[in-house]
mmCIF file of all heavy atoms in Angstrom:
data_model
loop_
_atom_site.group_PDB
_atom_site.id
_atom_site.type_symbol
_atom_site.label_atom_id
_atom_site.label_comp_id
_atom_site.label_asym_id
_atom_site.label_seq_id
_atom_site.Cartn_x
_atom_site.Cartn_y
_atom_site.Cartn_z
ATOM 1 N N GLU A 38 6.579 4.325 43.708
ATOM 2 C CA GLU A 38 6.446 4.949 45.023
ATOM 3 C C GLU A 38 5.223 5.835 45.176
ATOM 4 O O GLU A 38 4.953 6.335 46.269
ATOM 5 C CB GLU A 38 7.690 5.805 45.316
ATOM 6 C CG GLU A 38 8.959 5.004 45.510
ATOM 7 C CD GLU A 38 10.181 5.898 45.616
ATOM 8 O OE1 GLU A 38 10.138 7.043 45.108
ATOM 9 O OE2 GLU A 38 11.173 5.458 46.211
ATOM 10 N N GLU A 81 -14.419 -7.106 29.035
ATOM 11 C CA GLU A 81 -14.389 -7.860 27.773
ATOM 12 C C GLU A 81 -14.410 -6.940 26.551
ATOM 13 O O GLU A 81 -14.105 -7.379 25.440
ATOM 14 C CB GLU A 81 -15.582 -8.815 27.707
ATOM 15 C CG GLU A 81 -15.549 -9.945 28.722
ATOM 16 C CD GLU A 81 -15.831 -9.482 30.148
ATOM 17 O OE1 GLU A 81 -16.564 -8.472 30.318
ATOM 18 O OE2 GLU A 81 -15.322 -10.117 31.097
ATOM 19 N N TYR A 188 -19.793 4.359 12.353
ATOM 20 C CA TYR A 188 -19.056 4.304 13.606
ATOM 21 C C TYR A 188 -18.450 5.675 13.887
ATOM 22 O O TYR A 188 -18.229 6.476 12.966
ATOM 23 C CB TYR A 188 -17.914 3.288 13.520
ATOM 24 C CG TYR A 188 -18.338 1.849 13.442
ATOM 25 C CD1 TYR A 188 -18.381 1.170 12.220
ATOM 26 C CD2 TYR A 188 -18.674 1.143 14.599
ATOM 27 C CE1 TYR A 188 -18.744 -0.168 12.153
ATOM 28 C CE2 TYR A 188 -19.045 -0.197 14.541
ATOM 29 C CZ TYR A 188 -19.079 -0.842 13.313
ATOM 30 O OH TYR A 188 -19.446 -2.161 13.247
ATOM 31 N N GLN A 200 -8.037 21.876 31.699
ATOM 32 C CA GLN A 200 -7.590 23.085 32.381
ATOM 33 C C GLN A 200 -8.622 23.580 33.386
ATOM 34 O O GLN A 200 -8.266 24.190 34.393
ATOM 35 C CB GLN A 200 -7.301 24.189 31.360
ATOM 36 C CG GLN A 200 -6.052 23.946 30.523
ATOM 37 C CD GLN A 200 -4.778 24.069 31.330
ATOM 38 O OE1 GLN A 200 -4.725 24.765 32.338
ATOM 39 N NE2 GLN A 200 -3.728 23.380 30.900
ATOM 40 N N LYS A 224 0.180 9.727 27.548
ATOM 41 C CA LYS A 224 0.010 11.163 27.756
ATOM 42 C C LYS A 224 -0.490 11.474 29.163
ATOM 43 O O LYS A 224 0.171 12.166 29.935
ATOM 44 C CB LYS A 224 -0.962 11.724 26.715
ATOM 45 C CG LYS A 224 -0.715 11.280 25.290
ATOM 46 C CD LYS A 224 0.644 11.695 24.764
ATOM 47 C CE LYS A 224 0.795 11.303 23.298
ATOM 48 N NZ LYS A 224 2.106 11.652 22.741
ATOM 49 N N LYS A 360 10.334 27.077 30.441
ATOM 50 C CA LYS A 360 10.780 28.466 30.596
ATOM 51 C C LYS A 360 12.005 28.756 29.733
ATOM 52 O O LYS A 360 12.057 29.765 29.013
ATOM 53 C CB LYS A 360 11.111 28.741 32.063
ATOM 54 C CG LYS A 360 9.903 28.817 32.988
ATOM 55 C CD LYS A 360 10.363 29.053 34.427
ATOM 56 C CE LYS A 360 9.195 29.148 35.396
ATOM 57 N NZ LYS A 360 9.663 29.313 36.797
#
Side-chain angles (χ1 to χ4, degrees):
E38 292 173 336
E81 293 72 29
Y188 291 99
Q200 289 290 334
K224 314 299 184 181
K360 289 178 180 177

